[in-house]
Amino acid sequence: MTSVFVIAQSAVTAEHIQHVLSVSKDLEIVRISLGEDGYLNHLQRSKADIVAIDSSRGESETDRITQEIMHTHPLPVVILASAGLHNGVSQSIHALEAGALTVLQLPDNTHEEQSRRAAADVCKSLRLMSEVKVVRRWESTLFESIAKAGNNDEHEEECKNAIEIVVIGASAGGTNALQVVFDTLPADFPVPILVVQHIAAGYVDGLVRWLSEQCALPVVLAESGIIPQPGCIYLAPDNHHLTVDRKRCILLTNEESVNGFRPAIARLFSSVHDVYGAHTAAVLLSGMGNDGAAEMRQLYDAGACTIAQDKETSLIHGIPGEAIKLAATRHILPVQEIGKKLDVLTRISPSDTMRDETGSTENL
């Protein structure tokens, strides 16, 4: 049984959260708090496995509460977003920066079959994320471990093809990983970057704004029909698969979910496999599940450069771990080294590849 400590905005939202979580017999709400003084004492006594915070608290409350929990009584923290209530988007994004694992979308109700399935998915995510090990002041500890890791590559296979596009997939714990990767990319990064980040509907706009503040490259929402430009980062919008067509233009589709997701990492990776093939660099960052792992193996077989975030710096090593199990990776790296590796790989030119294959061209 997974014990959940809920911090809600009001009695109304608390009742809705309670109704959604009641779908699972494996979850137990040990206490519902309205963020009153002394809630940390209640949390410590509750022996909860995970904390769920109502995003509709708004302003800086979500961020503040997350920071207090991570500094005083570290537990896995998840933000619960009610459908149609996005007034706390920016605060929720900052809560992710402070240590929250992800934002989960609550269904409007649990009466319809689709809503019941969505509620079951929320419950499943809470159960799985309750097992994530967190530490006091986790963020500084994480970056200390990254710094110590240096540029150690656990597993390396040489990539010789000229890279024309970078694709990145991330899920729970991926927002901070994206920030670290993008922060290490130079302003003259020579190829476009397409990104699928699993996040609750209505939150990707806030994520785009936040990432734009963190790195030297422009970060925008992807739009159908445009040709991805070098040095620009394109994030998949809500409820659309991000793909590329044969003309190398971005194509957004609303086809059925893949692996339970739309946008799905799998759809992005499979489309670049068909269009760019070996001239792709694909990255899987922290996340739960296996979305994109099999498609990374297809890219690997095609000769693409494939990179997985290592276990030590992943909040959740599900997706990159699945890719590693499939022997789909040429590099397994600490998150802070991934951007540096991408910068090196994208500087390889066709002439470099020819010299590697035939030897020096001098005196010919």
Coordinates of all heavy atoms in Angstrom, one line a residue, residues 147-217:
A147 N 29.3 16.6 -11.1 CA 30.7 17.2 -11.2 C 31.8 16.1 -10.9 O 32.8 16.1 -11.6 CB 30.8 18.3 -10.2
K148 N 31.5 15.2 -9.9 CA 32.5 14.2 -9.6 C 32.6 13.2 -10.8 O 33.7 12.6 -11.0 CB 32.1 13.5 -8.3 CG 32.3 14.3 -7.1 CD 31.8 13.6 -5.9 CE 31.9 14.5 -4.6 NZ 31.4 13.8 -3.4
A149 N 31.5 13.0 -11.5 CA 31.5 12.0 -12.6 C 32.4 12.5 -13.7 O 32.9 11.6 -14.5 CB 30.1 11.8 -13.1
G150 N 32.6 13.8 -13.8 CA 33.5 14.3 -14.9 C 32.9 13.9 -16.3 O 31.7 13.9 -16.5
N151 N 33.8 13.5 -17.2 CA 33.3 13.1 -18.5 C 33.4 11.6 -18.7 O 33.6 11.1 -19.8 CB 34.1 13.8 -19.6 CG 35.6 13.5 -19.5 OD1 36.0 12.8 -18.7 ND2 36.4 14.1 -20.4
N152 N 33.2 10.9 -17.6 CA 33.3 9.4 -17.7 C 32.1 8.9 -18.5 O 30.9 9.1 -18.2 CB 33.2 8.9 -16.2 CG 33.3 7.4 -16.2 OD1 34.0 6.8 -17.0 ND2 32.4 6.7 -15.4
D153 N 32.4 8.1 -19.5 CA 31.4 7.5 -20.4 C 31.4 6.0 -20.0 O 32.4 5.3 -20.3 CB 31.7 7.7 -21.8 CG 30.6 7.4 -22.8 OD1 29.7 6.6 -22.4 OD2 30.6 7.8 -23.9
E154 N 30.3 5.5 -19.4 CA 30.2 4.2 -19.0 C 30.4 3.2 -20.2 O 30.8 2.1 -20.0 CB 28.9 3.9 -18.3 CG 28.7 4.6 -17.0 CD 27.4 4.3 -16.3 OE1 26.8 3.3 -16.8 OE2 27.0 5.0 -15.4
H155 N 29.9 3.6 -21.3 CA 29.9 2.7 -22.5 C 30.0 3.6 -23.7 O 29.2 4.5 -23.9 CB 28.5 2.0 -22.5 CG 28.3 1.2 -23.7 ND1 28.8 0.0 -24.0 CD2 27.5 1.5 -24.8 CE1 28.4 -0.4 -25.2 NE2 27.6 0.5 -25.7
E156 N 31.0 3.4 -24.5 CA 31.2 4.3 -25.6 C 31.5 3.5 -26.9 O 32.3 2.6 -26.9 CB 32.4 5.2 -25.4 CG 32.6 6.2 -26.5 CD 33.6 7.3 -26.1 OE1 34.2 7.2 -25.0 OE2 33.8 8.2 -26.9
E157 N 30.7 3.9 -28.0 CA 31.0 3.4 -29.3 C 31.2 4.6 -30.2 O 30.4 5.6 -30.1 CB 29.9 2.5 -29.8 CG 29.7 1.2 -29.1 CD 28.5 0.4 -29.7 OE1 28.2 0.7 -30.8 OE2 28.0 -0.4 -28.9
E158 N 32.2 4.6 -31.0 CA 32.5 5.8 -31.8 C 31.4 6.1 -32.8 O 30.8 5.2 -33.4 CB 33.8 5.5 -32.6 CG 34.3 6.8 -33.2 CD 35.7 6.6 -33.8 OE1 36.2 5.4 -33.7 OE2 36.3 7.5 -34.4
C159 N 31.0 7.4 -32.9 CA 30.0 7.8 -33.9 C 30.8 8.6 -35.0 O 31.5 9.6 -34.7 CB 29.0 8.7 -33.2 SG 28.0 7.9 -32.0
K160 N 30.7 8.2 -36.2 CA 31.4 8.8 -37.3 C 30.6 9.6 -38.3 O 31.1 10.3 -39.1 CB 32.2 7.8 -38.0 CG 33.3 7.1 -37.2 CD 34.2 6.1 -38.1 CE 35.3 5.5 -37.3 NZ 36.1 4.6 -38.1
N161 N 29.3 9.4 -38.2 CA 28.4 10.1 -39.2 C 28.2 11.5 -38.9 O 28.1 11.9 -37.7 CB 27.1 9.4 -39.3 CG 27.2 7.9 -39.8 OD1 27.8 7.7 -40.7 ND2 26.5 7.0 -39.0
A162 N 28.1 12.4 -39.9 CA 27.8 13.8 -39.7 C 26.4 13.9 -39.2 O 25.4 13.3 -39.8 CB 27.9 14.5 -41.1
I163 N 26.2 14.6 -38.1 CA 24.9 14.7 -37.5 C 24.1 15.9 -38.0 O 24.6 17.0 -38.1 CB 25.0 14.8 -35.9 CG1 25.7 13.6 -35.4 CG2 23.6 15.0 -35.3 CD1 25.0 12.3 -35.6
E164 N 22.9 15.6 -38.5 CA 22.1 16.7 -39.1 C 20.9 17.1 -38.2 O 20.3 18.2 -38.4 CB 21.6 16.2 -40.4 CG 22.7 15.9 -41.4 CD 22.2 15.4 -42.7 OE1 21.0 15.2 -42.9 OE2 23.0 15.1 -43.6
I165 N 20.6 16.3 -37.2 CA 19.5 16.6 -36.3 C 19.7 15.9 -34.9 O 20.3 14.8 -34.9 CB 18.1 16.2 -36.9 CG1 16.9 16.9 -36.1 CG2 17.9 14.7 -36.9 CD1 15.6 16.8 -36.8
V166 N 19.2 16.6 -33.9 CA 19.2 16.0 -32.5 C 17.8 15.8 -32.1 O 17.0 16.7 -32.2 CB 20.0 16.8 -31.5 CG1 19.9 16.3 -30.1 CG2 21.5 16.9 -31.9
V167 N 17.5 14.6 -31.5 CA 16.1 14.4 -31.0 C 16.3 13.9 -29.5 O 17.2 13.1 -29.2 CB 15.3 13.4 -31.8 CG1 14.9 14.0 -33.1 CG2 16.1 12.1 -32.0
I168 N 15.5 14.4 -28.6 CA 15.6 14.1 -27.2 C 14.2 13.7 -26.7 O 13.2 14.4 -27.0 CB 16.1 15.3 -26.4 CG1 17.5 15.8 -26.9 CG2 16.2 15.0 -24.9 CD1 18.0 17.0 -26.3
G169 N 14.2 12.7 -25.9 CA 13.0 12.2 -25.2 C 13.2 12.2 -23.7 O 14.2 11.8 -23.2
A170 N 12.2 12.7 -23.0 CA 12.3 12.8 -21.5 C 10.9 12.6 -20.9 O 9.9 13.0 -21.5 CB 12.9 14.1 -21.1
S171 N 10.9 12.2 -19.7 CA 9.6 12.0 -19.0 C 9.8 12.5 -17.5 O 10.4 13.6 -17.4 CB 9.1 10.6 -19.0 OG 7.8 10.4 -18.5
A172 N 9.3 11.8 -16.6 CA 9.4 12.2 -15.2 C 10.9 12.5 -14.8 O 11.8 11.6 -15.0 CB 8.8 11.2 -14.2
G173 N 11.2 13.6 -14.2 CA 12.5 14.0 -13.9 C 13.3 14.6 -15.1 O 14.5 15.0 -14.9
G174 N 12.7 14.7 -16.2 CA 13.4 15.1 -17.4 C 13.5 16.6 -17.6 O 14.4 17.1 -18.3
T175 N 12.6 17.4 -16.9 CA 12.7 18.8 -17.1 C 14.0 19.4 -16.6 O 14.6 20.2 -17.3 CB 11.5 19.5 -16.4 OG1 11.5 19.1 -15.0 CG2 10.2 19.2 -17.1
N176 N 14.4 19.0 -15.5 CA 15.7 19.5 -15.0 C 16.9 18.9 -15.8 O 17.9 19.6 -16.0 CB 15.9 19.1 -13.5 CG 15.1 19.9 -12.6 OD1 15.3 21.1 -12.5 ND2 14.1 19.3 -11.9
A177 N 16.7 17.7 -16.3 CA 17.8 17.1 -17.2 C 17.9 17.9 -18.5 O 19.0 18.2 -18.9 CB 17.5 15.7 -17.5
L178 N 16.8 18.3 -19.0 CA 16.8 19.2 -20.2 C 17.5 20.5 -20.0 O 18.3 20.9 -20.8 CB 15.4 19.5 -20.7 CG 14.6 18.3 -21.4 CD1 13.1 18.7 -21.6 CD2 15.2 17.9 -22.7
Q179 N 17.2 21.1 -18.8 CA 17.8 22.4 -18.5 C 19.4 22.2 -18.4 O 20.1 23.1 -18.9 CB 17.3 22.9 -17.2 CG 17.8 24.3 -16.8 CD 19.0 24.2 -15.9 OE1 19.2 23.3 -15.1 NE2 19.9 25.2 -16.1
V180 N 19.8 21.1 -17.8 CA 21.3 20.9 -17.7 C 21.9 20.7 -19.1 O 23.0 21.3 -19.4 CB 21.6 19.7 -16.8 CG1 23.1 19.4 -16.8 CG2 21.1 20.0 -15.4
V181 N 21.3 19.9 -19.9 CA 21.8 19.6 -21.3 C 21.8 20.9 -22.1 O 22.9 21.3 -22.7 CB 20.9 18.6 -22.0 CG1 21.4 18.5 -23.5 CG2 21.0 17.2 -21.3
F182 N 20.8 21.7 -22.1 CA 20.7 22.9 -22.9 C 21.7 24.0 -22.4 O 22.2 24.8 -23.1 CB 19.3 23.4 -22.9 CG 18.3 22.5 -23.6 CD1 16.9 22.7 -23.4 CD2 18.7 21.5 -24.4 CE1 16.0 21.9 -24.0 CE2 17.8 20.7 -25.1 CZ 16.4 20.9 -24.8
D183 N 21.9 24.0 -21.0 CA 22.8 25.0 -20.5 C 24.2 24.8 -20.9 O 25.0 25.8 -21.0 CB 22.7 24.9 -18.9 CG 23.5 26.0 -18.3 OD1 23.3 27.2 -18.5 OD2 24.4 25.6 -17.5
T184 N 24.6 23.6 -21.4 CA 25.9 23.3 -21.8 C 26.1 23.5 -23.3 O 27.2 23.3 -23.8 CB 26.4 21.9 -21.3 OG1 25.5 21.0 -21.8 CG2 26.4 21.8 -19.8
L185 N 25.0 23.8 -24.0 CA 25.2 23.9 -25.5 C 25.5 25.4 -25.8 O 25.0 26.3 -25.3 CB 23.8 23.6 -26.2 CG 23.4 22.1 -26.0 CD1 22.0 22.0 -26.7 CD2 24.4 21.1 -26.6
P186 N 26.5 25.5 -26.8 CA 26.9 26.9 -27.2 C 25.8 27.6 -28.0 O 25.0 26.9 -28.7 CB 28.2 26.6 -27.9 CG 28.0 25.3 -28.5 CD 27.2 24.5 -27.5
A187 N 25.9 28.9 -28.1 CA 25.0 29.7 -28.9 C 25.1 29.3 -30.4 O 24.1 29.6 -31.2 CB 25.2 31.2 -28.7
D188 N 26.2 28.8 -30.9 CA 26.4 28.5 -32.3 C 26.2 27.0 -32.6 O 26.7 26.4 -33.5 CB 27.8 28.9 -32.8 CG 28.9 28.1 -32.1 OD1 28.7 27.5 -31.0 OD2 30.0 28.1 -32.7
F189 N 25.4 26.3 -31.7 CA 25.1 24.9 -31.9 C 24.6 24.7 -33.4 O 23.6 25.4 -33.8 CB 24.1 24.4 -30.9 CG 23.9 22.9 -30.9 CD1 24.9 22.1 -30.3 CD2 22.8 22.3 -31.4 CE1 24.8 20.7 -30.3 CE2 22.7 20.9 -31.3 CZ 23.7 20.1 -30.8
P190 N 25.2 23.8 -34.1 CA 25.0 23.8 -35.6 C 23.8 23.0 -36.2 O 23.5 23.1 -37.4 CB 26.3 23.1 -36.1 CG 26.7 22.2 -35.0 CD 26.2 22.8 -33.7
V191 N 23.0 22.3 -35.3 CA 21.8 21.6 -35.9 C 20.6 21.8 -35.1 O 20.7 22.3 -33.9 CB 22.1 20.1 -36.0 CG1 23.4 19.8 -36.8 CG2 22.2 19.5 -34.6
P192 N 19.4 21.6 -35.6 CA 18.2 21.7 -34.8 C 18.0 20.6 -33.8 O 18.6 19.5 -33.9 CB 17.1 21.7 -35.9 CG 17.7 20.9 -37.0 CD 19.1 21.2 -37.0
I193 N 17.2 20.9 -32.8 CA 16.9 19.9 -31.7 C 15.4 19.8 -31.5 O 14.7 20.8 -31.3 CB 17.5 20.4 -30.3 CG1 19.1 20.6 -30.5 CG2 17.2 19.4 -29.2 CD1 19.7 21.2 -29.3
L194 N 14.9 18.6 -31.6 CA 13.5 18.3 -31.4 C 13.3 17.6 -30.1 O 14.0 16.6 -29.9 CB 12.9 17.5 -32.6 CG 13.1 18.1 -34.0 CD1 12.3 17.2 -35.0 CD2 12.7 19.5 -34.1
V195 N 12.3 18.0 -29.3 CA 12.2 17.4 -28.0 C 10.7 17.0 -27.7 O 9.8 17.7 -28.0 CB 12.6 18.5 -26.9 CG1 12.4 17.9 -25.5 CG2 14.0 19.0 -27.2
V196 N 10.6 15.8 -27.2 CA 9.3 15.4 -26.6 C 9.6 15.2 -25.1 O 10.4 14.4 -24.6 CB 8.8 14.0 -27.2 CG1 7.7 13.5 -26.3 CG2 8.4 14.2 -28.6
Q197 N 8.8 16.0 -24.3 CA 8.8 15.9 -22.8 C 7.4 15.5 -22.4 O 6.5 16.3 -22.6 CB 9.3 17.2 -22.2 CG 9.0 17.4 -20.7 CD 9.9 16.5 -19.8 OE1 11.1 16.6 -19.9 NE2 9.3 15.6 -19.0
H198 N 7.3 14.4 -21.7 CA 6.0 14.1 -21.1 C 5.7 15.0 -20.0 O 6.4 15.1 -19.0 CB 6.0 12.6 -20.6 CG 6.2 11.6 -21.6 ND1 6.7 10.3 -21.3 CD2 6.1 11.6 -23.0 CE1 6.8 9.6 -22.4 NE2 6.5 10.4 -23.4
I199 N 4.6 15.7 -20.1 CA 4.2 16.7 -19.0 C 2.7 16.9 -19.2 O 2.1 16.7 -20.3 CB 5.0 18.0 -19.2 CG1 4.9 18.8 -17.9 CG2 4.5 18.8 -20.4 CD1 5.8 20.0 -17.8
A200 N 2.0 17.3 -18.1 CA 0.6 17.5 -18.1 C 0.2 18.5 -19.1 O 0.9 19.5 -19.3 CB 0.1 17.8 -16.7
A201 N -1.0 18.3 -19.7 CA -1.5 19.3 -20.6 C -1.6 20.7 -20.0 O -2.0 20.9 -18.9 CB -2.9 18.9 -21.1
G202 N -1.2 21.7 -20.8 CA -1.3 23.1 -20.4 C 0.0 23.6 -19.8 O 0.1 24.8 -19.5
Y203 N 1.0 22.7 -19.6 CA 2.2 23.1 -18.9 C 3.4 23.3 -19.8 O 4.4 23.8 -19.4 CB 2.5 22.1 -17.8 CG 1.7 22.3 -16.6 CD1 0.3 21.9 -16.6 CD2 2.1 22.9 -15.5 CE1 -0.5 22.1 -15.6 CE2 1.3 23.1 -14.4 CZ 0.0 22.7 -14.4 OH -0.8 22.9 -13.4
V204 N 3.3 22.8 -21.1 CA 4.4 22.9 -22.0 C 4.8 24.4 -22.3 O 6.0 24.7 -22.5 CB 4.2 22.1 -23.3 CG1 3.2 22.7 -24.1 CG2 5.5 21.9 -24.0
D205 N 3.8 25.3 -22.4 CA 4.1 26.7 -22.6 C 5.0 27.2 -21.5 O 6.0 28.0 -21.8 CB 2.8 27.5 -22.7 CG 2.0 27.2 -24.0 OD1 2.7 26.9 -25.0 OD2 0.8 27.3 -24.0
G206 N 4.7 26.9 -20.3 CA 5.5 27.4 -19.2 C 6.9 26.8 -19.2 O 7.8 27.4 -18.8
L207 N 6.9 25.5 -19.6 CA 8.2 24.9 -19.7 C 9.1 25.5 -20.8 O 10.3 25.7 -20.6 CB 8.0 23.4 -20.1 CG 9.3 22.5 -20.2 CD1 10.2 22.6 -19.0 CD2 9.0 21.1 -20.7
V208 N 8.5 25.9 -21.9 CA 9.2 26.6 -23.0 C 9.8 27.9 -22.4 O 11.0 28.3 -22.7 CB 8.3 26.8 -24.2 CG1 8.9 27.9 -25.2 CG2 8.0 25.5 -24.9
R209 N 8.9 28.7 -21.7 CA 9.4 30.0 -21.2 C 10.5 29.8 -20.2 O 11.5 30.5 -20.2 CB 8.2 30.7 -20.5 CG 7.2 31.2 -21.5 CD 6.3 32.2 -20.8 NE 5.5 31.6 -19.7 CZ 4.3 31.0 -19.9 NH1 3.8 30.9 -21.1 NH2 3.7 30.4 -18.9
W210 N 10.4 28.8 -19.3 CA 11.4 28.5 -18.3 C 12.7 28.1 -19.0 O 13.8 28.6 -18.6 CB 10.9 27.5 -17.3 CG 11.9 27.1 -16.3 CD1 12.4 27.9 -15.3 CD2 12.6 25.9 -16.2 NE1 13.3 27.2 -14.5 CE2 13.5 26.0 -15.0 CE3 12.6 24.7 -16.9 CZ2 14.3 24.9 -14.6 CZ3 13.4 23.6 -16.5 CH2 14.3 23.8 -15.3
L211 N 12.7 27.2 -19.9 CA 13.9 26.7 -20.6 C 14.6 27.9 -21.3 O 15.8 27.9 -21.4 CB 13.6 25.5 -21.5 CG 13.3 24.2 -20.8 CD1 12.8 23.2 -21.8 CD2 14.5 23.7 -20.0
S212 N 13.8 28.7 -21.9 CA 14.3 29.9 -22.7 C 15.1 30.8 -21.8 O 16.1 31.4 -22.2 CB 13.2 30.7 -23.3 OG 12.5 30.0 -24.3
E213 N 14.8 30.8 -20.5 CA 15.5 31.7 -19.6 C 16.8 31.0 -19.1 O 17.7 31.7 -18.5 CB 14.6 32.0 -18.3 CG 13.4 32.7 -18.6 CD 12.4 32.7 -17.5 OE1 12.7 32.1 -16.4 OE2 11.4 33.4 -17.5
Q214 N 16.9 29.7 -19.4 CA 18.0 28.9 -18.8 C 19.2 28.7 -19.8 O 20.2 28.2 -19.4 CB 17.5 27.6 -18.3 CG 16.3 27.6 -17.4 CD 16.7 28.3 -16.1 OE1 17.7 28.1 -15.5 NE2 15.7 29.2 -15.6
C215 N 19.0 28.9 -21.1 CA 20.0 28.6 -22.0 C 20.2 29.6 -23.1 O 19.4 30.5 -23.3 CB 19.7 27.2 -22.7 SG 18.2 27.2 -23.8
A216 N 21.3 29.5 -23.9 CA 21.6 30.5 -24.9 C 20.9 30.3 -26.2 O 20.8 31.2 -27.0 CB 23.1 30.4 -25.2
L217 N 20.3 29.1 -26.4 CA 19.6 28.8 -27.6 C 18.1 29.2 -27.5 O 17.5 29.1 -26.5 CB 19.7 27.3 -28.0 CG 21.1 26.8 -28.2 CD1 21.0 25.3 -28.5 CD2 21.8 27.5 -29.3

